[in-house]
Amino acid sequence: MKEKLLGKTPGELKAVALECGLPQFSAKQIARWLYVGRVSSIDAMTDISKAGREALKDRYDLGLTAPSACSVSSDGTRKYLFPVRCPLAGGFEDSSVEAVMIPDDDRRTICVSSQAGCRMGCKFCMTGRQGFHGNLSPADILSQFISIDESRSLTNAVFMGMGEPLDNFGNVMRAVEVLTADWGFAWSPKRITLSTIGVIPNLKAFLDGTRCHVAVSLHDPFPDERLDLMPVQKAWPLEDVIGLLRQYDFTGQRRVSFEYTMFSGINDTKRHADALIRLLRGLECRVNLIRFHKIPGAPYETSPAVVMENFRDRLSNHGITATIRASRGEDILAACGMLAGEHGAGLKER
Ligand code: SF4
């Protein structure tokens, strides 16, 4: 496989230019074509000489992947399927991932995938069920932004699709760098939220290295119960994740939120709400309560709406901002925890 241009920094593109017999300043031109012009072929880089473009094509691929299918929810949410080829076990594995575009008034948020499958094994998650099929490259991640129909009107991004972003740290950091750099998409980091189950060393590096928002998948305040839902609790206990977060300032522009999927009779009781209140006391944060979307074979039921409302109110009455997140794209299997990177649920070939 040829190396991909998409995801490279201007510094790296300088080396590419020199290798292809181009002047150094071509690096800036190529970066502009990639991230501002968002071209779909090397041939479209028209201020690079024809010979230069041929030399580029001999050695490099643009790295842009188009979606192979798209499905549209009755609520306007759109789910795109992308073919990917990921390095795995000394070779490559062909797989597919999904990106979801969620419209909401004047916002257009992309929920982006960072891995094909996931190795974290959360029991309630379709992606976790399918196991791990490889890390997405920066080009694979950026293609989700560039290749969807709403590319130019996107307002926000959440790394909340397939995979654990902090388990593909280098590639996700590079994608975030491209998204936020002046030479890249020039997005404010405030437009980006990374969701993690709490891979502590990489979470620290992400907090230190960016100004993006963070969302932590919490789901249960009791360590033993959380371990039943999320094996990661063993390696990176929630208490330590919260301890790390307490070292950062979330009173200004940057936000931390906690994702809490509600399972009937499992984590939706008053005892859980009170433990959550104790756990988060003094931390400037928000809790997003998420309705569990049933997946085949998972031994969990969705909490009734009234139980969720009571849980939310108990948190709110104790000074914790809590909201029940609206489910989006459930009819096309695009809602939280449902992404599987598979054809079906109304996906149309493109
Ligand atoms: Fe992986 Fe996130 Fe699913 Fe857990 S919830 S298995 S971290 S994709």
Side-chain angles (χ1 to χ4, degrees), residues 118-122 124-125 127-128 161-164 197:
C118 185
R119 61 178 133 216
M120 296 299 157
C122 303
F124 47 85
C125 170
T127 309
M162 296 170 67
E164 162 54 55
I197 55 175

Side-chain angles (χ1 to χ4, degrees), residues 164-179:
E164 162 54 55
L166 295 184
D167 189 38
N168 183 16
F169 183 68
N171 291 346
V172 166
M173 282 297 272
R174 173 55 63 87
V176 169
E177 183 182 358
V178 171
L179 291 170

